[in-house]
Amino acid sequence: MNIFKPKLYIALLLFIGVICVGVFGYMYFSDDTFINALYMTIITITTVGFGEVHPLSQSERLFTIFLILMSVLTLGYAASVITQYIASGEFLKNIKTKKVQKTIDKLSGHTIVCGYGRNGKQATVKLIKYKKPFVIIENNEERILEIEEQNLLYIKGDATIDDFLVKAAIGKASSLITALPSDANNLYVVLSARQLNKDLTIVSRASNDSSDTKLRIAGANNVIMPDKLGGEHMASLLVTPDIVEFVDKLAADSENATHLEEIVVDNLPKEFLLKSIRDLDLRKKTGCSVIGFKTPDHEYVINPDAETKLVINSKLIVLGSANQIQKLNKLF
């Protein structure tokens, strides 16, 4: 919480209090109207030097002296608070926060990443690589400094609190990754996210096997256990090293690496709808190979037949080098 906000509110209340004291004081001592009393109060506080509405009696002059001293002390306190507020950097930080929030409010179809630890950081690297917009929710100061250095969009706060999910524009988001260290917190985020956006694709991190089922029941589409995957990967390097090395090549970031790409059939030119994979002729046109097909019923077909029909709501999984994938994207 901003420590200067209470002080600013106090300064504002004191200033309003001085005006109220002045108005009621002049109305009491001068038996004057509200407008005249307000006029006398304002010219006294601001010391502009305009003339009084009528000659002041001795009691009115004493009250004016008291009012001037009160206003000087109040304005002095307000000036010191505002100076500290600006000098501390809080003013610029608040402006930056509002600017970032406006940018986030304009997003649509983005991903929300809850937690910028090891897993969350790796997730953002992948999202950046594929040019997918995302917003990070993190409350650790050190990690926030790292996020700011990377010039990434973020919300400072606890992802388990609905308000911060709302600030991350969850209603317009297409997916959410929760990579918090606690399974309980991840479960809470999944529950909240599913309630706020029924169509959201949710991927959650988990540490324990028992959490997998709970997270899926809560609404997670996929649950990833980094420790389990890491152990399996290490064992696979001993049992089937060549296969693992080949798969790792698919995930490499170098220009010469082989990549997997997903093609949404609905996004293809209309003349290819209801045609076959053979009619698409990707191998000849781009050099890419179709190695998978996802049906509208979400069933996966490995190495699909060339006569497989390209129906609506289906997807193709293609394999190719970076240059071939680039050619594919340009062509389709």
Side-chain angles (χ1 to χ4, degrees):
M1 182 179 178
N2 187 351
I3 61 172
F4 290 100
K5 280 187 178 180
K7 293 183 179 180
L8 288 170
Y9 291 145
I10 291 172
L12 179 61
L13 289 173
L14 287 174
F15 182 71
I16 295 173
V18 169
I19 293 176
C20 292
V21 169
V23 170
F24 289 112
Y26 281 117
M27 290 178 68
Y28 175 78
F29 289 108
S30 305
D31 195 22
D32 218 334
T33 64
F34 172 79
I35 298 299
N36 284 342
L38 180 62
Y39 171 78
M40 284 295 299
T41 301
I42 297 301
I43 66 172
T44 301
I45 291 174
T46 57
T47 63
V48 294
F50 290 154
E52 297 89 350
V53 292
H54 57 76
L56 299 180
S57 64
Q58 187 172 359
S59 59
E60 290 172 324
R61 293 188 182 203
L62 288 172
F63 175 73
T64 301
I65 293 171
F66 168 74
L67 186 62
I68 290 172
L69 292 175
M70 278 185 63
S71 62
V72 168
L73 291 173
T74 301
L75 292 175
Y77 174 76
S80 66
V81 171
I82 293 171
T83 302
Q84 290 177 25
Y85 178 59
I86 295 173
S88 68
E90 288 291 332
F91 178 70
L92 295 176
K93 186 181 290 185
N94 285 341
I95 291 178
K96 184 179 179 180
T97 301
K98 289 180 180 178
K99 185 178 179 181
V100 170
Q101 187 62 55
K102 286 183 179 179
T103 303
I104 293 172
D105 292 339
K106 294 177 182 177
L107 291 177
S108 181
H110 59 289
T111 299
I112 299 174
V113 180
C114 302
Y116 195 68
R118 288 174 297 177
N119 300 125
K121 191 181 298 182
Q122 290 301 314
T124 61
V125 169
K126 198 74 171 180
L127 291 171
I128 292 171
K129 178 185 174 183
Y130 283 88
K131 298 180 181 179
K132 300 291 185 182
F134 62 90
V135 179
I136 303 167
I137 301 179
E138 178 58 69
N139 60 1
N140 183 280
E141 291 290 349
E142 292 182 4
R143 291 174 183 170
I144 286 175
L145 290 176
E146 188 175 347
I147 293 170
E148 290 179 342
E149 288 177 0
Q150 300 292 327
N151 199 27
L152 304 175
L153 292 176
Y154 76 94
I155 299 291
K156 182 182 179 181
D158 186 349
T160 61
I161 298 175
D162 290 3
D163 289 345
F164 295 111
L165 291 172
V166 172
K167 284 184 177 181
I170 191 170
K172 297 186 293 180
S174 62
S175 52
L176 178 141
I177 298 171
T178 176
L180 302 176
S182 167
D183 286 0
N185 287 341
N186 285 323
L187 180 62
Y188 199 92
V189 171
V190 170
L191 282 168
S192 299
R194 184 55 70 200
Q195 288 181 345
L196 294 170
N197 188 337
K198 303 295 183 184
D199 301 322
L200 204 63
T201 300
I202 302 175
V203 179
S204 176
R205 174 191 182 276
S207 299
N208 301 315
D209 290 334
S210 59
S211 301
D212 186 300
T213 305
K214 295 175 183 176
L215 286 164
R216 292 182 187 276
I217 292 173
N221 299 91
N222 290 286
V223 178
I224 305 299
M225 301 182 66
D227 296 336
K228 184 177 180 180
L229 289 176
E232 289 178 354
H233 189 79
M234 287 187 287
S236 297
L237 284 170
L238 299 176
V239 180
T240 54
D242 293 331
I243 294 176
V244 173
E245 187 175 351
F246 175 77
V247 173
D248 287 343
K249 288 284 185 182
L250 299 180
D253 294 329
S254 64
E255 293 184 0
N256 297 322
T258 306
H259 298 271
L260 289 171
E261 187 81 0
E262 179 184 274
I263 299 177
V264 180
V265 171
D266 297 23
N267 295 337
L268 291 174
K270 291 183 179 179
E271 60 264 27
F272 290 110
L273 290 178
L274 301 180
K275 295 292 183 65
S276 67
I277 294 176
R278 187 190 302 279
D279 295 328
L280 199 58
D281 201 10
L282 286 183
R283 183 69 179 173
K284 183 177 179 180
K285 293 177 181 177
T286 66
C288 295
S289 300
V290 178
I291 65 169
F293 181 77
K294 185 178 181 181
T295 68
D297 297 326
H298 305 290
E299 295 180 357
Y300 288 92
V301 179
I302 307 300
N303 195 22
D305 188 87
E307 301 304 323
T308 302
K309 297 294 183 182
L310 302 175
V311 294
I312 296 175
N313 295 328
S314 61
K315 294 180 181 179
L316 293 172
I317 310 298
V318 301
L319 181 70
S321 66
N323 291 333
Q324 291 169 341
I325 295 296
Q326 188 176 9
K327 190 175 181 180
L328 172 71
N329 290 328
K330 286 183 179 179
L331 187 60
F332 294 106

